[in-house]
């Protein structure tokens, strides 16, 4: 709005003479440009709080702090679900068969090539920790389903293997691995 | 809106579009070439200010809605969540709450300008009546919005105002029950008020469009009160009126920003920082300042129905003004008698506003009756008669002539109105019940966080927290604060590690675990302070503490105050003198105000302790602090005086954790607005140079 008004005075009577004879910007032009610029800067500054208020607030960020999960009660073959930052986290205690299957596959043949070793922590092959959100459009896949001893997404039929890698279906990438570390052999900290 | 457009777009696409939807032509004819009388003074810019404020309220309101929860159990805390956690939430909420007041400041100046210059007269009757409708809608919207924070004033304001309708014979009670959706103001009321508060602003927008449409049909009135006769009398809306409006809007923003950043709670009530309690009415209940004159009219009439009728009548009578005023001369400039009666009327309105803020007793009631009578006499007797007996001064032949013969004091009216409005704004003084009657006024203390550049003393906040932790927290909660806040910028300045360690000292209830049991664990940064351990629920607290519940300390510093009295309360709002530390002064005085023996003639009931500064003098809390009670490690004196100040400062921070940021951003905004206003002024002067 301010930008357009700066141009308008030239149309008013009495202004045309000065603006056409002076090749360089006149003092008057400078005033209009300065006013318009300052006004535009102000509008942008006002816009920022209005936009930034939609970002996560301080309490949401604080609630997203790392969580610790005790792996002790998770039996072999079981997949549990915990929540971190409002996202479901799958923690799977893989069986020998599942581990073997995951390691056996040649990563080069996969849609999103990744060896199983890149998806678990070294020395903790039996523990699979995944963000349980299908990389297609965000549904939660079902554990122990599908043709690959892994996960099956009921929404659009994506199938993941026992390492959480995409094998078939519309999903473009493997299930993501959240940041986590082993605090002890039976405890992990996610985040 | 003003005849066929002469707008001829050059661009091929715009031509194509214009032939199908001539919106460019509409804008061009309405806001570019639209002729405005060239003698308009600055008072005519208040229409633009109102448009700006309406937009600002809608934008900030939509944003606040994203974070607000309309539920009786959550509304109050969701407002505090906005104030504490949402990015710039404190700014958005203060903009919205003060914006309502600014909207009314502007609308009152706009209305009195119309009254002074006869802007309601032929051919502008419909324009005027649309304005009255907008004003009524604004009042409804303001009232509904004030209910939403669900504080004590929200609740009791809603109760009192909805009870107006119970005055209606026969069906009154049913109507009130219908409005409430229950047997009292409650959750259904809050939820419908929220819905309507969101709806009405858009209804206002609709009526504003009609208002502007009507304006563009009949053209603007002007200080001379005569219609433009030739193009000599007018200037195009853009750039002349637009830039003048921009300048005044920028100036108004300075005024607005002062309130938002430096005295954001000045126009509110301390009581509204106490969560709504259907069991206790505040001792002195007052509406927002902009309703005070009507509140005074309501209370001045001893009959319930008649009071309500008079109150609504005092607004609706404005609709009949075009026919009650029998003079054909519009502007008061040429009406020597009306001019005097106008100012008397202004004073009467201000007087009613003042009386509305006073308790309804004694001389105040008598004065309110006299002024109420005069209010109606002004419209029903004085205005009709004046037109018949007054000899107006000769009118100029044209607007151009009036500009040439003008003696100069164009802005005298503007200045008088603005001073009047400012004085009026400050007048209600927001009488706070506590300490109002016989309790002495708490002495003023020196606070590091007072004034425009105030900031918290970190050492003091840490000491205050220690006092809270070792003494207060046994009985008083701090439910709105999280441990992480201790490490927030602008706070006590604990490191994140220190705050984590403090959190770990607390036991927080969590669960249920896999066995379905609740369990206790160490506090974490994200946890809120746990409730006090000495009482489990309010009923138990009442049992333990002589029928009272120890108040939560999170917003207590903003929920307490005292009346400073005339004229100090005026000074409290002014730049360089602003003083907003009444709450902490009261807390310090209270903590130090215990006396072993009540003065003669005063008996303190069982379970009470005599306190000089407590409103009833009988306080359930025994003296909490004594010299040496808390050990300080930084060398500060371990005295009651020091404890009281430290814990009060801590409570101020707890109540307003973004105080430092607010004052810092405020300074930047003020500097920016000064530059912008200056540039706008010079730009406007250049553009108008050829007119004068």
């Amino acid at each position: 709005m301010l930008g357009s008004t700066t141009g308008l005075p030239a149309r008013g009577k009495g202004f045309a003479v000065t603006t056409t004879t002076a090749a360089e910007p006149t003092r008057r032009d400078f005033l209009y440009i300065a006013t318009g610029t300052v006004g535009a800067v102000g509008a942008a500054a006002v816009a920022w709080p209005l936009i930034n208020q939609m970002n996560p607030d301080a309490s949401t960020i604080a609630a997203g702090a790392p969580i610790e999960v005790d792996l002790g009660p998770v039996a072999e073959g079981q997949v549990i679900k915990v929540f971190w930052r409002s996202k479901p986290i799958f923690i799977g205690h893989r069986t020998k068969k599942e581990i073997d299957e995951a390691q056996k596959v040649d990563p080069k043949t996969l849609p999103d090539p990744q060896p199983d070793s890149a998806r678990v922590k070294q020395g903790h092959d039996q523990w699979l920790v995944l963000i349980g959100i299908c990389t297609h459009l965000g549904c939660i896949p079902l554990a122990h389903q599908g043709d690959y001893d892994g996960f099956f997404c009921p929404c659009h039929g994506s199938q993941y293997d026992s390492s959480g890698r995409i094998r078939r279906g519309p999903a473009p990438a493997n299930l993501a691995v959240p940041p986590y570390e082993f605090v002890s052999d039976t405890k992990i900290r996610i985040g | 809106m003003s005849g066929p457009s002469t707008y001829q777009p050059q661009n091929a696409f715009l031509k194509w579009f214009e032939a199908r939807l001539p919106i460019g032509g509409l804008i061009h004819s309405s806001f570019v070439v639209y002729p405005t009388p060239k003698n308009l003074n600055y008072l005519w810019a208040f229409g633009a200010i109102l448009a700006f404020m309406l937009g600002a309220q809608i934008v900030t309101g939509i944003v606040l809605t994203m974070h607000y929860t309309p539920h009786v159990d959550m509304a109050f805390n969701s407002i505090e969540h906005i104030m504490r956690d949402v990015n710039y939430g404190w700014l958005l909420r203060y903009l919205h709450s003060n914006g309502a007041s600014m909207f009314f400041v502007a609308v009152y100046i706009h209305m009195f300008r119309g009254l002074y210059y006869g802007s309601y007269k032929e051919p502008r009757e419909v324009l005027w009546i649309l304005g009255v409708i907008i004003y009524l809608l604004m009042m409804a919207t303001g009232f509904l919005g004030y209910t939403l924070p669900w504080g004590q004033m929200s609740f009791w304001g809603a109760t009192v105002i909805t009870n107006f309708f119970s005055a209606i014979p026969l069906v009154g009670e049913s109507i009130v029950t219908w409005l409430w959706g229950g047997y009292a103001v409650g959750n259904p009321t809050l939820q419908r008020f929220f819905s309507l508060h969101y709806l009405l602003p858009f209804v206002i927008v609709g009526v504003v469009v009609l208002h502007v449409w009507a304006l563009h049909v009949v053209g603007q009135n002007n200080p001379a009160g005569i219609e433009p006769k030739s193009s000599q009398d007018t200037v195009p809306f853009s750039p002349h009126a637009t830039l003048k409006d921009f300048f005044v809007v920028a100036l108004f923003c300075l005024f607005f920003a002062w309130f938002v950043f430096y005295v954001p709670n000045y126009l509110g009530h301390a009581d509204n920082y106490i969560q709504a309690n259907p069991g206790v009415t505040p001792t002195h209940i007052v509406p927002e300042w902009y309703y005070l004159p009507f509140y005074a009219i309501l209370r001045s009439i001893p009959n319930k129905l008649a009071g309500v009728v008079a109150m609504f009548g005092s607004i609706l009578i404005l609709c009949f003004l075009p026919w009650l005023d029998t003079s054909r001369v519009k502007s008061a400039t040429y009406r020597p008698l009306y001019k005097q009666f106008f100012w008397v009327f202004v004073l009467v309105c201000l007087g009613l506003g003042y009386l509305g803020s006073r308790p309804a007793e004694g001389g105040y009631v008598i004065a309110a009756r006299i002024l109420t009578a005069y209010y109606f006499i002004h419209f029903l007797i004085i205005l009709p008669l004046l037109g018949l007996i007054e000899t107006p001064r000769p009118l100029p032949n044209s607007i151009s002539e009036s500009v040439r013969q003008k003696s100069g004091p164009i802005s005298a009216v503007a200045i008088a109105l603005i001073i009047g409005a400012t004085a009026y704004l400050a007048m209600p003084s927001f009488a706070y019940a506590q300490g109002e009657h016989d309790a002495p006024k708490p002495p003023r203390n020196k606070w590091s966080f007072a004034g425009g550049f105030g900031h918290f003393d970190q050492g003091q906040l840490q000491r205050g927290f220690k006092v809270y932790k070792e003494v207060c927290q046994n009985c008083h909660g701090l439910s709105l604060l999280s441990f992480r806040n201790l490490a927030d910028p602008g706070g006590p300045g604990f490191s994140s590690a220190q705050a984590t360690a403090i959190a770990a000292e607390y036991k927080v209830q969590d669960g249920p675990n896999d066995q379905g049991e609740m369990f206790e664990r160490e506090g974490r940064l994200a946890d809120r302070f746990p409730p006090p351990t000495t009482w489990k629920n309010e009923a138990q607290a009442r049992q333990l503490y002589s029928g009272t519940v120890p108040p939560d300390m999170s917003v207590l510093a903003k929920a307490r105050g005292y009346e400073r009295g005339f004229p100090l309360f005026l000074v409290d709002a002014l730049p360089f003198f602003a003083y907003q530390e009444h709450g902490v002064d009261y807390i310090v005085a209270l903590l130090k105000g215990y006396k072993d023996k009540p003065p003669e003639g005063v008996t303190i009931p069982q379970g009470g302790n005599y306190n000089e500064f407590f409103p009833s003098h009988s306080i359930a809390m025994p003296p909490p602090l004594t010299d040496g009670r808390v050990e300080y490690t930084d060398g500060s004196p371990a005295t009651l005086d020091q404890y009281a100040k430290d814990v009060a400062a801590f409570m101020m921070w707890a109540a307003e954790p973004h105080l430092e940021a607010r004052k810092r951003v405020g300074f930047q905004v003020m500097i920016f607005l000064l530059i912008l206003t200056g540039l706008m002024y010079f730009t406007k002067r250049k553009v108008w140079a050829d007119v004068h």
Side-chain angles (χ1 to χ4, degrees):
Chain A
M1 238 156 81
L2 295 174
S4 63
T5 52
T6 53
L8 284 166
R11 268 196 260 162
K13 50 195 169 181
F15 290 112
V17 182
T18 45
T19 45
T20 47
T21 51
E24 289 171 25
T26 60
R27 272 172 54 192
R28 182 179 292 126
D29 288 337
F30 175 75
L31 178 64
Y32 295 149
I33 293 165
T35 309
T37 311
V38 171
V41 168
V46 168
W48 176 240
L50 297 172
I51 294 165
N52 192 30
Q53 54 85 20
M54 281 171 72
N55 274 318
D57 63 57
S59 62
T60 306
I61 291 169
I67 56 163
E68 289 191 351
V69 181
D70 183 10
L71 303 178
V74 186
E76 193 171 292
Q78 192 185 4
V79 175
I80 64 161
K81 204 193 300 178
V82 296
F83 275 87
W84 173 69
R85 295 200 167 167
S86 313
K87 290 179 173 38
I89 306 289
F90 290 158
I91 301 174
H93 191 168
R94 300 193 292 183
T95 59
K96 183 83 178 60
K97 176 169 168 270
E98 288 168 341
I99 298 170
D100 287 347
E101 281 172 355
Q103 289 175 343
K104 207 170 55 191
V105 183
D106 178 6
K108 288 195 209 89
T109 64
L110 298 176
D112 182 8
Q114 228 183 355
D116 185 57
S117 58
R119 301 184 51 80
V120 294
K121 299 285 176 199
Q122 207 181 0
H124 300 284
D125 281 348
Q126 72 274 37
W127 294 108
L128 180 67
V129 182
L130 300 168
I131 295 179
I133 294 178
C134 180
T135 56
H136 181 220
L137 291 169
C139 297
I140 300 181
L142 305 167
H144 301 303
Q145 288 200 29
D147 301 340
Y148 300 92
D149 258 352
F151 305 87
F152 168 73
C153 182
C155 291
H156 308 99
S158 292
Q159 303 216 13
Y160 301 87
D161 66 13
S162 57
S163 188
R165 292 171 297 195
I166 181 67
R167 299 296 284 270
R168 193 197 305 154
N174 301 334
L175 290 177
V177 177
Y180 74 99
E181 61 188 4
F182 278 85
V183 188
S184 70
D185 271 355
T186 58
K187 198 174 235 186
I188 57 169
R189 182 190 292 125
I190 302 170
Chain B
M1 290 180 189
S2 42
S5 176
T6 53
Y7 177 65
Q8 294 289 341
Q10 300 299 309
N11 176 295
F13 171 74
L14 289 181
K15 265 186 197 160
W16 179 89
F17 192 85
E18 191 69 11
R20 283 150 185 86
L21 183 68
I23 199 162
L26 181 70
I27 291 170
H28 185 77
S29 61
S30 306
F31 301 106
V32 181
V33 292
Y34 173 68
T36 62
K38 67 179 183 181
N39 61 337
L40 297 186
N41 61 36
Y42 283 122
L43 285 172
W44 262 264
F46 277 86
I49 290 175
L50 286 163
F52 170 78
M53 284 313 306
L54 178 59
Q57 287 301 88
I58 288 179
V59 168
T60 51
I62 287 173
V63 160
L64 289 172
T65 304
M66 298 182 187
H67 306 281
Y68 170 75
T69 313
H71 186 281
V72 287
D73 294 333
M74 288 177 272
F76 185 86
N77 284 357
S78 73
I79 298 282
E80 283 301 319
H81 164 70
I82 292 169
M83 294 294 291
R84 288 156 197 274
D85 291 336
V86 174
N87 303 320
Y88 293 101
W90 57 269
L91 173 61
L92 298 164
R93 193 248 169 164
Y94 278 152
L95 280 171
H96 196 70
S97 61
N98 285 284
S101 283
M102 295 302 126
F103 207 161
F104 277 97
V105 170
V107 88
Y108 283 128
I109 295 176
H110 192 65
M111 288 164 73
F112 278 111
R113 188 267 288 156
L115 290 178
Y116 186 86
Y117 292 111
S119 300
Y120 46 85
K121 293 186 191 183
E122 196 200 344
R124 298 186 179 83
E125 300 93 327
V126 171
L127 173 63
W128 173 261
I129 291 169
L130 286 168
V132 177
I133 293 170
I134 295 170
Y135 174 57
L136 278 168
L137 286 168
M138 277 176 66
M139 293 181 93
T141 312
F143 155 67
L144 294 167
Y146 195 60
T147 308
L148 303 184
W150 209 242
Q152 274 287 70
M153 282 294 181
S154 301
F155 183 90
W156 292 102
T159 300
V160 168
I161 290 181
T162 46
N163 264 313
F164 289 168
F165 298 92
S166 70
I168 301 170
L170 300 176
V171 291
E173 289 298 330
S174 315
I175 289 177
V176 174
T177 308
W178 174 76
L179 285 173
W180 289 338
Y183 304 112
V185 173
N187 199 49
T189 325
L190 177 59
Q191 291 186 318
R192 64 192 59 182
F193 277 20
F194 177 58
S195 169
L196 295 173
H197 183 68
Y198 204 110
L199 167 72
L200 286 192
F202 297 98
V203 178
I204 293 178
V205 169
V207 187
V208 165
V209 168
L210 297 180
H211 190 67
V212 172
W213 185 5
L215 173 73
H216 282 235
V217 170
V218 294
Q220 280 161 296
N221 186 29
N222 60 78
I226 49 176
E227 302 303 321
K229 294 195 171 73
S230 69
S231 61
Q232 288 293 303
D233 290 342
T234 62
V235 288
F237 189 81
S238 291
H240 295 85
T242 8
L243 280 175
K244 202 168 172 178
D245 287 349
F246 281 154
F247 162 61
V248 183
V249 168
L251 203 60
F252 191 79
C253 282
L254 267 172
F255 179 68
F256 185 9
W258 170 257
F259 279 89
V260 167
F261 292 104
Y262 294 103
V263 289
N265 293 306
Y266 181 77
L267 297 167
H269 303 282
D271 268 326
N272 226 27
Y273 279 106
I274 303 171
Q275 189 164 357
N277 179 351
V280 181
T281 308
T283 31
H284 189 170
I285 136 156
V286 208
E288 289 289 82
W289 66 267
Y290 33 86
Y291 304 128
L292 287 173
F294 306 105
Y295 191 57
I297 290 174
L298 170 84
R299 294 191 310 182
S300 70
I301 297 186
N303 177 288
K304 182 170 171 177
L305 178 61
V308 173
V309 167
M311 190 192 66
F312 282 108
S314 65
I315 302 166
L316 292 176
I317 201 167
L318 291 170
C319 290
F320 301 95
L321 185 57
W323 298 278
L324 288 169
D325 185 346
T326 50
S327 171
R328 300 187 65 101
V329 178
K330 290 190 187 104
S331 172
T333 314
Y334 303 102
R335 296 186 61 189
L337 280 176
Y338 174 70
K339 193 193 271 185
Q340 293 169 32
F341 281 105
F342 169 82
W343 288 111
V344 171
F345 180 70
V346 170
L347 291 177
V348 165
C349 291
L350 293 173
L352 281 168
Y354 173 72
L355 294 168
S357 77
R358 300 289 87 195
E361 55 195 32
Y364 293 132
V365 176
I366 297 165
R369 284 184 188 158
I370 294 169
L371 295 192
T372 301
Y374 184 87
Y375 182 98
F376 286 101
I377 289 170
H378 176 83
F379 287 109
L380 295 174
I381 297 173
I382 295 173
L383 284 186
L385 283 183
L386 265 191
L388 305 177
I389 59 174
E390 183 179 50
T391 316
R393 296 207 280 132
L395 293 176
N397 287 317
S398 69
I399 288 174
S400 298
E401 191 188 297
S402 84
V403 172
R404 278 193 297 277
Q405 66 181 212
K406 192 158 52 192
S407 48
I410 38 157
S411 26
V413 181
I415 292 166
L417 276 181
I418 288 165
I419 290 174
T422 316
Y424 174 69
L425 261 189
M427 201 162 47
S429 83
F430 320 110
Y432 192 72
Q434 296 230 359
E436 188 180 13
H437 294 301
D438 49 350
K441 297 216 186 308
R444 241 174 109 149
N445 297 288
K446 269 194 113 55
W447 298 105
S448 67
F449 48 83
F453 299 99
H455 54 87
F456 288 113
D457 171 351
Q458 292 192 341
Q460 184 171 44
L461 293 191
Q462 296 196 4
R463 290 194 303 273
F465 175 60
K466 195 162 197 270
V467 175
Y468 169 74
K469 202 157 153 269
E470 293 181 16
V471 183
C472 317
Q473 78 170 7
N474 291 323
C475 302
H476 294 276
L478 198 60
S479 62
L480 297 171
L481 260 75
S482 303
F483 295 112
R484 64 186 156 84
N485 295 131
L486 295 171
D488 282 348
F494 288 110
S495 69
S496 191
Q498 283 172 313
T500 310
I502 291 168
E505 293 172 29
Y506 285 82
K507 288 276 171 270
V508 175
Q509 199 178 51
D510 201 347
N513 60 16
D514 294 343
Q515 287 75 45
E517 307 286 339
M518 300 302 283
F519 60 94
E520 278 194 340
R521 59 165 173 78
E522 286 180 358
R524 301 184 192 127
L525 283 181
D527 290 324
R528 302 242 172 146
F529 277 82
T533 47
T534 48
W535 48 279
K536 284 206 259 320
N537 50 52
E538 291 195 358
Q540 193 186 30
R542 284 202 186 86
Q543 179 69 30
L544 289 170
Y545 308 115
S546 326
T548 60
V549 180
D552 188 272
M553 280 171 53
S554 310
V555 269
L556 208 53
K558 286 201 285 192
R560 294 291 182 269
Y562 61 93
E563 198 178 354
R564 290 247 286 159
F566 185 84
L568 276 179
F569 66 83
L570 288 171
V571 176
D572 286 346
L574 297 179
F576 306 111
F577 298 100
Y579 194 72
Q580 297 299 302
E581 283 68 37
H582 310 103
V584 271
D585 281 344
Y586 170 77
I587 291 166
V588 170
L590 182 89
L591 289 170
K592 290 163 65 180
Y594 286 93
K595 296 271 185 305
D596 290 339
K597 263 197 226 127
E600 282 197 35
V602 179
T603 47
I604 294 298
Q606 184 78 33
N609 299 278
Y610 180 79
N611 191 305
E612 197 184 349
F613 292 96
F614 195 67
S616 70
H617 295 310
S618 168
I619 184 169
M621 174 170 72
L625 294 166
T626 44
D627 288 352
R629 172 91 193 255
V630 178
E631 199 177 325
Y632 279 161
T633 50
D634 66 351
S636 302
T639 58
L640 167 61
D641 180 63
Q642 189 65 35
Y643 295 151
K645 283 179 184 155
D646 291 348
V647 81
F650 172 74
M651 286 163 73
M652 187 67 231
W653 167 74
E656 186 86 353
H658 296 296
L659 180 143
E660 284 188 13
R662 191 184 84 212
K663 290 181 177 179
R664 190 178 59 242
V665 175
F667 182 69
Q668 295 162 349
V669 169
M670 293 311 256
I671 296 292
F672 172 83
L673 283 175
L674 280 172
I675 295 170
L676 180 69
T677 311
L679 283 169
M680 285 291 183
Y681 176 72
F682 288 111
T683 304
K684 179 239 144 203
R685 229 172 58 156
K686 285 269 191 252
V687 168
W688 280 78
D690 61 328
V691 179
H692 295 308

